[in-house]
Amino acid sequence: MSDAAPDEGSEALSALLHETRQFPPPEEFTRQANAQPGIYEEAAADSEAWWATQAEQLTWDRHWDKVLEWDLPYAKWFVGGRLNAAYNCVDRHVENGRGDKVAFHWVGEPEGEARTITYADLQRMVCQAANGLIELGVEAGDRVAIYMPMIPEAAVAMLACARLGAPHSVIFGGFSSEALSGRILDADCRVVITADGGYRRGVASALKPNVDQALEQCPDVRAVLVVRRTGQDVSWTEGRDVWWHELVDRQPDQHDPVSFDAEQPLYIMYTSGTTAKPKGILHTTGGYLVHTSTTHRLVFDLKPETDVFWTAADIGWVTGHSYIVYGPLANGATSVMYEGTPDAGGRDRWWRIIDEYKVSVLYTAPTTIRTLMKWGEEYPDAHDLSSLRLLGSVGEPINPEAWMWYRQYVGRNRCPIVDTWWQTETGAILISPLPGITATKPGAAMRALPGISAEVVDNDGTPVGNGEAGFLLLTKPWPGMLRGIWGDPERYMETYWSRFPGSYFAGDGAKKDEDGDLWLLGRVDDVMNISGHRISTTEIEHALVGHPSVAEAAVVGASDPTTGQAIVAFVTVKGHVVAVGEEGAALVVELREQVAVTIGPIAKPRQILLTPELPKTRSGKIMRRLLRELATHGEIQGDTTTLEDFTVIAKLREAEEG
Ligand code: WT7
């Protein structure tokens, strides 16, 4: 645990709370929302029975014998039940006569490029891909890595794996080849599905070269399935590489799904923790599908016949897994899937998409809302956004200002906003308003969903009173919860279940306001949240000290008006290295590149400061709080500023802190 107190910034928060307005649920929702008053009490009376009722909405090949088996820290949900995730997401809708319903309106980044994929299309595509994977020797239990741009084939690849009971490990396309090989090796993936490249900000970027480079470290990968997306030249390893259009397109478009145990691993998703090594978060089939589909139905008040749902996230993160693929598809919903950035083709691209496809529910991250806000309301103002009826936020605490802007200029003061708190580990939303029941407050995630037990506690694990802050815990297991860290049961126990025995420690600070409503306050460990993406300070420090010139590195998250937090690195160099002037500037460029190569461009520090010393306590602990303060408020300008008086500040601090 770091020295960050859970109540950091709570003063500013209290001030805001004071003048907080509260928005009651609009009448349209109180009358006909899927979740109606009484649902909380009903779920609280018998949460297992309540989850079992939700689970009845899926199609099971064998009914479960028992809802929950809880042997801390391991949960099994719907024990004995059998189902196929892909069948539930695709085939059953076709069988129910909804084959012509659109599953995805896919919008490519290049203007004018779009594809409409119905559930019947999706069924054919998934069956062909599954048959293709079988030809590549994929069997139930085999891990398959997916490293793709935001194209329909990414969702198809995931569903094809799920259909075969082969857990997928999707690795975000922005990760470097080194990050990719680390993940492939950790899960021992034998097949990789990728593309030649993708479009990002108007240019075709390459993915296949990263795979080629990664696989130099991964001799056990026997096949690479490559989608042609951009048409760029790729190098080819005969006997290993196969074009998607050559293998998949010639497959039969039928495939009989077999059912799997409810606890069959569905996927692994790597996320950053407090050490340099990312954690492979394991999710299984039955509970996860129940949790994602239930929350999609209740939190977003899904009306499957009329809604057009848009989760503006990448499939490479858990938000894309749960609310682009599994939740919406299990519910037979229509989604927009957009490949590019919000300003590709103009700063009004999003608003044009909403108007064109009549999007009714928009789900995005505060960092994007702040960016759109910075560009100005003239962009949303110029478009017809009347199809929108509900807005969602996820990924980091949303500042009240962004919340109000979202409400006013996107929701036109009509649409409720659901601020949804969850994590890669939780699989699906746990804390959020319900649009027909809960009043909303700008910046608050409000309360735990039906069937979920959350608590805010102090250092000793005692629940805090209203108006107080502490650590967020989940006190009962939930269906979508992680089933462990791939290959590392000790770390699983240690990270989540040892700080407060009996409860899941989320790593977040939270506050109960005077009404008992929940406000999330950010991470309390050494994990940063950059644009809604979790990045570990230790992982970046590790990358930096991997450079031959670096002696020591300390990385902190400074607050940033757009990205929430920004990465700032303090670096000391080895004795012989010149770290001033042009040489210093050149080194900073190299170091930034070092991070991009080791982790990925998303982890590049905003600022790297070369400094003669790092401030440390007498016991040798780096004073991160001081660095954070300096990075946020300090007079630090330019990357090569050497902090002459650094040692002095550090000494003063040390005296102050005793
Ligand atoms: C961390 C999880 C959930 C999918 C995307 C991120 C922060 C997430 C909220 C929210 C305040 C939030 C937490 C959490 N977070 N949603 N609505 N309000 N903070 O998934 O990468 O696993 O990150 O994101 O700090 O622990 P992730």
Side-chain angles (χ1 to χ4, degrees):
M1 187 139 321
S2 82
D3 51 1
D7 59 352
E8 236 176 46
S10 67
E11 246 168 66
L13 194 78
S14 313
L16 272 167
L17 271 176
H18 232 80
E19 47 187 294
T20 290
R21 266 169 290 176
Q22 176 164 315
F23 299 97
E27 210 231 310
E28 176 202 340
F29 283 85
T30 54
R31 259 189 299 116
Q32 41 180 310
N34 295 341
Q36 288 291 320
I39 194 171
Y40 290 102
E41 292 73 18
E42 195 193 320
D46 187 345
S47 60
E48 289 178 31
W50 188 81
W51 280 115
T53 309
Q54 310 309 313
E56 296 291 356
Q57 305 242 357
L58 296 180
T59 304
W60 298 78
D61 294 310
R62 184 184 185 281
H63 198 271
W64 56 91
D65 303 315
K66 202 172 166 209
V67 178
L68 170 66
E69 219 172 82
W70 179 221
D71 185 8
L72 190 144
Y74 292 100
K76 287 183 183 164
W77 282 85
F78 308 107
V79 185
R82 293 183 72 83
L83 76 170
N84 184 292
Y87 174 83
N88 271 279
C89 288
V90 184
D91 304 58
R92 66 173 181 148
H93 306 309
V94 180
E95 287 171 16
N96 290 339
R98 302 171 78 245
D100 290 339
K101 182 160 173 62
V102 174
F104 289 116
H105 290 292
W106 178 79
V107 183
E109 196 190 86
E111 293 278 353
E113 206 182 336
R115 287 163 73 183
T116 302
I117 294 161
T118 66
Y119 275 92
D121 295 332
L122 193 60
Q123 186 183 35
R124 286 187 288 269
M125 292 166 82
V126 172
C127 288
Q128 283 192 311
N131 288 325
L133 290 179
I134 291 172
E135 196 175 308
L136 294 178
V138 174
E139 290 176 9
D142 292 352
R143 275 82 62 199
V144 176
I146 298 177
Y147 184 65
M148 286 175 95
M150 278 285 287
I151 53 176
E153 285 76 8
V156 170
M158 289 165 69
L159 292 162
C161 289
R163 195 175 187 92
L164 301 178
H168 51 71
S169 167
V170 180
I171 296 130
F172 175 59
F175 278 119
S176 68
S177 64
E178 225 172 283
L180 181 59
S181 64
R183 285 158 175 78
I184 291 172
L185 286 172
D186 187 74
D188 193 15
C189 299
R190 301 300 172 94
V191 171
V192 178
I193 308 177
T194 188
D196 52 355
Y199 289 98
R200 206 73 191 151
R201 298 207 153 81
V203 280
S205 64
L207 288 172
K208 178 70 165 50
N210 286 351
V211 174
D212 292 334
Q213 209 183 332
L215 294 191
E216 286 171 18
Q217 318 299 321
C218 312
D220 292 334
V221 171
R222 59 167 187 269
V224 179
L225 186 55
V226 190
V227 175
R228 183 140 71 198
R229 167 69 188 113
T230 64
Q232 62 192 287
D233 282 340
V234 291
S235 64
W236 209 249
T237 303
E238 286 304 332
R240 185 196 72 182
D241 299 350
V242 195
W243 283 113
W244 178 287
H245 57 265
E246 284 175 6
L247 177 79
V248 175
D249 290 2
R250 64 171 162 78
Q251 300 294 327
D253 60 11
Q254 288 181 5
H255 171 266
D256 281 337
V258 298
S259 61
F260 295 99
D261 190 273
E263 287 299 333
Q264 174 77 11
L266 180 64
Y267 68 82
I268 303 164
M269 165 111 265
Y270 285 85
T271 187
S272 294
T274 52
T275 71
K277 190 177 188 293
K279 302 175 285 197
I281 303 301
L282 175 66
H283 284 291
T284 58
T285 308
Y288 174 80
L289 214 55
V290 170
H291 193 176
T292 50
S293 58
T294 302
T295 49
H296 182 247
R297 200 165 59 239
L298 299 180
V299 174
F300 300 109
D301 186 40
L302 178 76
K303 303 288 191 266
E305 298 314 318
T306 47
D307 268 329
V308 177
F309 188 78
W310 183 13
T311 293
D314 196 286
I315 266 179
W317 307 104
V318 76
T319 307
H321 281 48
S322 298
Y323 297 104
I324 297 177
V325 180
Y326 291 109
L329 294 177
N331 287 334
T334 296
S335 285
V336 164
M337 179 176 175
Y338 171 53
E339 181 183 32
T341 53
D343 56 351
R347 286 180 165 180
D348 63 348
R349 187 71 189 272
W350 268 33
W351 318 122
R352 281 191 280 132
I353 292 173
I354 289 171
D355 185 10
E356 182 172 351
Y357 293 96
K358 301 294 168 220
V359 172
S360 55
V361 182
L362 175 66
Y363 189 33
T364 187
T367 183
T368 313
I369 298 167
R370 288 190 296 267
T371 300
L372 297 164
M373 189 170 141
K374 206 162 61 185
W375 292 342
E377 45 267 20
E378 61 264 35
Y379 296 103
D381 274 354
H383 295 272
D384 179 4
L385 306 183
S386 60
S387 56
L388 287 172
R389 63 181 198 93
L390 179 66
L391 305 174
S393 172
V394 62
E396 56 180 314
I398 179 164
N399 50 312
E401 198 194 359
W403 196 100
M404 290 302 293
W405 188 88
Y406 199 26
R407 181 183 156 84
Q408 193 168 341
Y409 295 105
V410 184
R412 310 259 157 98
N413 293 319
R414 287 180 297 107
C415 307
I417 297 178
V418 288
D419 175 9
T420 64
W421 179 90
W422 56 296
Q423 309 176 297
T424 304
E425 291 88 340
T426 71
I429 301 167
L430 297 191
I431 302 176
S432 165
L434 286 175
I437 306 176
T438 324
T440 57
K441 298 174 183 175
M446 301 303 287
R447 68 185 286 191
L449 290 179
I452 301 299
S453 304
E455 189 52 271
V456 182
V457 301
D458 66 15
N459 246 315
D460 309 321
T462 311
V464 303
N466 287 357
E468 289 173 34
F471 302 101
L472 179 68
L473 301 185
L474 301 163
T475 53
K476 278 188 186 170
W478 61 97
M481 69 188 275
L482 74 168
R483 301 303 200 264
I485 295 177
W486 189 262
D488 203 343
E490 276 155 39
R491 192 175 179 194
Y492 173 57
M493 184 68 197
E494 162 66 25
T495 309
Y496 306 106
W497 302 97
S498 60
R499 176 77 173 80
F500 297 97
S503 288
Y504 172 91
F505 174 49
D508 277 34
K511 177 170 175 135
K512 280 192 213 164
D513 69 14
E514 296 303 336
D515 305 321
D517 293 324
L518 295 174
W519 296 67
L520 277 305
L521 302 176
R523 304 286 309 187
V524 294
D525 53 14
D526 289 331
V527 173
M528 294 173 291
N529 191 321
I530 314 295
S531 300
H533 298 147
R534 204 199 296 191
I535 296 177
S536 141
T537 55
T538 331
E539 216 175 321
I540 300 175
E541 287 166 3
H542 203 77
L544 289 168
V545 293
H547 189 282
S549 299
V550 174
E552 256 194 315
V555 170
V556 296
S559 19
D560 181 280
T562 305
T563 57
Q565 283 189 307
I567 307 166
V568 177
F570 296 83
V571 170
T572 62
V573 296
K574 290 183 181 156
H576 63 279
V577 179
V578 183
V580 291
E582 274 176 28
E583 278 125 313
L587 179 58
V588 166
V589 172
E590 267 181 47
L591 292 179
R592 196 172 266 124
E593 194 49 31
Q594 168 91 3
V595 175
V597 167
T598 319
I599 305 170
I602 46 163
K604 273 194 210 176
R606 178 184 73 183
Q607 209 175 10
I608 296 180
L609 290 128
L610 301 175
T611 166
E613 242 179 285
L614 290 175
K616 288 183 186 162
T617 61
R618 233 174 294 252
S619 59
K621 198 169 174 262
I622 294 173
M623 299 163 87
R624 289 173 189 283
R625 191 201 289 264
L626 166 65
L627 292 177
R628 253 197 306 273
E629 271 171 35
L630 264 175
T632 301
H633 309 293
E635 301 288 299
I636 303 171
Q637 271 146 20
D639 278 340
T640 52
T641 315
T642 45
L643 304 170
E644 312 290 26
D645 54 356
F646 214 73
T647 27
V648 184
I649 303 173
K651 292 226 166 79
L652 282 174
R653 275 299 158 142
E654 194 170 351
E656 236 172 64
E657 290 181 6

